[in-house]
Amino acid sequence: MSSLIPLPGSRNSFHMDDSSRPDVHPTPMFNNDTKLPLQQRRQFLDLEKNMDSNSHFEITVDQLGELHDPKSLRKLHELGGYRHLVSDLNTDSNNGLPVHIPDFEERESHYGVNSLPQKMPKSFLRLCFEAMKDKTLIILSVAAIVSLALGLYETFGQPTEYDSEGKAEPKVQWVEGVAIIVAIAIVVLVGAANDFNKERQFVKLNAKKEDRQIIVYRSGEKHFVSINDLLVGDLIYVETGDIVPADSILVQGMCECDESSLTGETDTIKKVAAKLAEDEFVNSLHQDETLAKDEQFDIGLSKKVLDPMLISGSKLLSGQGKAIVTAVGVNSMHGKIMVSLSHEPEVTPLQARLDNLADGISKYGIMIAVLLFFVLFFKFCADLTGRYHHIQASEKGSKFMNILITSITIVVVAIPEGLPLAVTLALAFATTRMTKDGNLVRVLKSCETMGGATAVCSDKTGTLTENRMKVVKGSLGDLKFDDTADATSTSHERSVAVIDKLDKELINSIVTNILLNSTAFENRQDEQEAATIEILKKKSERAWWKKICNKTPAGKAITTASNTLIESTLSRMNSHIPTNLGDVEPFVGSKTECALLLLAQSKFQAIDRPLEVIRNEAKQSIVQVIPFESSRKWGGLVLKTDKGYRFYIKGASELVFSRCSYHRSSNGSISPISNNVQSEINDYITELADDALRTLSLAHRDFKGLTSWPPKDIQSNQDPSLADVDKLFGEPVLLTETINAGSSPTSPKAPIVPNIVISNDIEGLVLDCLVGIQDPLRAGVKDAIIQCQKAGVRVRMVTGDNILTARAISKNCGILTPDVLHNQYSSMEGPQFRKLSQEERFKIVPELCVLARSSPDDKRILVDTLRQLGEVVAVTGDGTNDAPALKLADVGFSMGIAGTEVAREASDIILMTDDFTSIVNAIKWGRTVSTSVRKFVQFQLTVNVTAVVLTFVSSVADADNGSVLTAVQLLWVNLIMDTLAALALATDKPDDDVNLVCN
């Protein structure tokens, strides 16, 4: 076993000491100030950063930030290249930083630490104070204080009154004020407790995420270091499956990254070493001097520019390498997005309407109270010279106070005391029921805000689509299939039905090509993680609140609901440990190859044992492997068979098909490709491309009768034991219209067969299948969007993909409807959108349906523009790049399973099942809340207006200026009857026919 020794120059790092490994050596303790508590240390570093402006580091944080935001090889070149950068950072591209870092404090002070400021949860008292800011509660509080003061005066400052039987009446006038205070306390405590529970739950679940350990090189030795102790200049080691811990530059190795959570791009991004990328960049500048001034000649803008930049938060799909860290913490891409999430919550639409109602009620209540006071006061003044002439002064004062109390009671009665409680109960009930529907409401008031939503801005990748490439269309042999969500609209069958009709030889050829001609591999769950899952489940079962809940039937129902939705899903999304093995990606590697393997597994049922076992069994038969390269756009391998050798190939459809001279039918027969067949297949490839599908052709060629590989005429000059790749691939097949022997040249029925013209007399390939790969729509998305449109909610797609892909997906899911398809403003690209003036945006945005190639800032600008136009905007997203817009929106929806921690932190509601259709349920419940509150307001205002009129009229008509209803009776009507009515109306369930009508 390895012994872990604290690594010098870090807080929680460990050095691996294993005598069995020659590349790892023990390291002595480093005695410095690193033993200070983390909080003290950060404060010390902040002070030092402010005081020390003479850092010996020449390169600044801003200059390093320009390398990744956006990714730019041009900026690296302007800094003098990666070698100069490594030198400026006082590090080494082979050995990393020294173990005893001499400039440790200064490096942290200058470049920062790889951690983000902790957001402290609000205390219960703070939440109570914020709840008291509600305008209705403020008015109620003032009325309660006045009512209590007058009640105490009447109780202790007035003589005892007697009824007609001579019995003393109880002095309970103080009950009025106390009753109002109790109502206020209930509202405040219920609301604050709900918010406090949600906030604590979320903070606790985020805290479950364990501190990741990463591998760094210090003085050429490998060390395990906490992700929080990573420094700028560190040399880190990354491999397949890793999440990049900080912005860095790849200096050794090669890999492929998935940056979809940050950029929205579904395509795999190939990464190469900085030296190779820089050399290619410089050579291009030398060959064409105009490129030096061309800003478009950079990463992501030109295919000729290679990419060595690793972005924090991206995932390695394949490969491995070493990288130099250039930005950490708040200076990294991940950190910048987290910092941008600071946005103060605003007043919700329902709050605004209730505030206006409270203002109106208080104004009219005060006006009526003043009017009643003056009317009664004038009557009182008139009676002073009449029937009150002989009474004592104290009694006159008592009569006057009764007039004042009656007038103030008018104000108290006019204000709907039960309204805040009704709103709180409605929100709490809706929130609980939404949890069962898969919506975890983090911000209580976002529930009712969603009821007034008029626009939804949705990310494409991972939200509308599955963020998992799949084979959705194609032809197996000569039979076409369609597995898209709206396949019912086509005449093609599902792939499973087509496979049942295929010849076994054709199935064997396709499956062999997919399984063996691939570098992707199975994503097997580690036994330790599986054990951790069981531990979490057992701990959850022993939770104290479950033991209490399980004692009652209602508690058991709550426990069951929370088990299935809250605990299981949130433990999965926060600890990154799946609750079951089916939640993990089945394969790791190129997304294209993973899609093919998924086809073989789920449709062909071909992976009945571990993929590694299948490949090991065939290993002896493989004589040559030709790895896929983006430059040639295909990959293949050669297998030894009983009849000789077979060459399997898969690659870009049009390229591979151009080398095919035969095609296999579903019954297993092989036929020459005629002009008609060639035209038909090319048209089908174009049709798939128009639907934004990535097309692949799978083919093979038999070399029968050979006893050794390769054939002499295609031997490689460098290695005679291998075939020359270009010769093996061959030249495009040229078809000429040749008449079969025995047929008349003028015969209209003379069949056309190909005259194959290829180099070295090598026969062409046999086409086995053609497939279209796409990130498919989530199930139910199209229906959900149609429901949103019926409800008066406009759905817009915002994605980082190219505009052709975005338009194709939006047509499939119903965002781009036929009536807006040809509108020039219905779809637009981010670079064009961000150049628009504010006036132009106000004109175009109402018609905009699709925003492609968008940056996070473009999405934020779109949301801000919609809000300025008076829309209530909901934003959905799963990636880190969606966070700023999620925070700015009126309601932010994040994905609970596929969503990043940043996205969930920025959101108001978490879709725990990652189901876009849950948004429809959120709209239903939101509108139910609004409807319930509207019903309650109508009910209570009717009661209150009746009570006010009755009090006013009876007081004016009564000779003693007394109301027919006492203040206590009026308050009991308000608090008891209205509160029970609130409880009944607040628990209404949504009705599809009512609540999906635009309010």
Side-chain angles (χ1 to χ4, degrees), residues 64-114:
L64 291 175
E66 291 175 349
L67 298 176
H68 290 86
D69 188 16
K71 293 182 294 184
S72 175
L73 198 61
R74 182 178 294 272
K75 293 293 183 183
L76 180 62
H77 182 64
E78 291 174 358
L79 290 175
Y82 98 94
R83 296 180 184 84
H84 190 268
L85 175 67
V86 170
S87 175
D88 281 349
L89 294 177
N90 294 341
T91 186
D92 188 278
S93 58
N94 293 314
N95 301 317
L97 295 173
V99 172
H100 301 279
I101 305 174
D103 55 2
F104 178 75
E105 300 292 347
E106 185 179 0
R107 187 179 294 271
E108 275 200 340
S109 174
H110 189 71
Y111 293 118
V113 294
N114 195 33

Side-chain angles (χ1 to χ4, degrees), residues 84 346 381 408 462 652 685 690 737 770 817 898:
H84 190 268
E346 298 181 3
C381 291
I408 293 176
I685 292 174
D690 289 341
E737 295 188 3
L770 175 69
T817 54

Side-chain angles (χ1 to χ4, degrees), residues 723-790:
D724 183 276
V725 173
D726 294 329
K727 292 179 181 178
L728 181 61
F729 189 44
E731 297 294 332
V733 175
L734 303 177
L735 300 181
T736 60
E737 295 188 3
T738 305
I739 308 301
N740 280 352
S743 299
S744 169
T746 59
S747 172
K749 296 184 179 180
I752 299 173
V753 297
N755 179 22
I756 303 166
V757 182
I758 46 180
S759 61
N760 302 316
D761 297 326
I762 301 175
E763 293 183 0
L765 301 169
V766 179
L767 180 67
D768 291 321
C769 73
L770 175 69
V771 295
I773 298 176
Q774 188 184 56
D775 185 6
L777 289 176
R778 289 186 178 275
V781 162
K782 188 171 184 178
D783 292 337
I785 290 175
I786 292 174
Q787 283 186 285
C788 286
Q789 291 169 346
K790 289 180 180 178

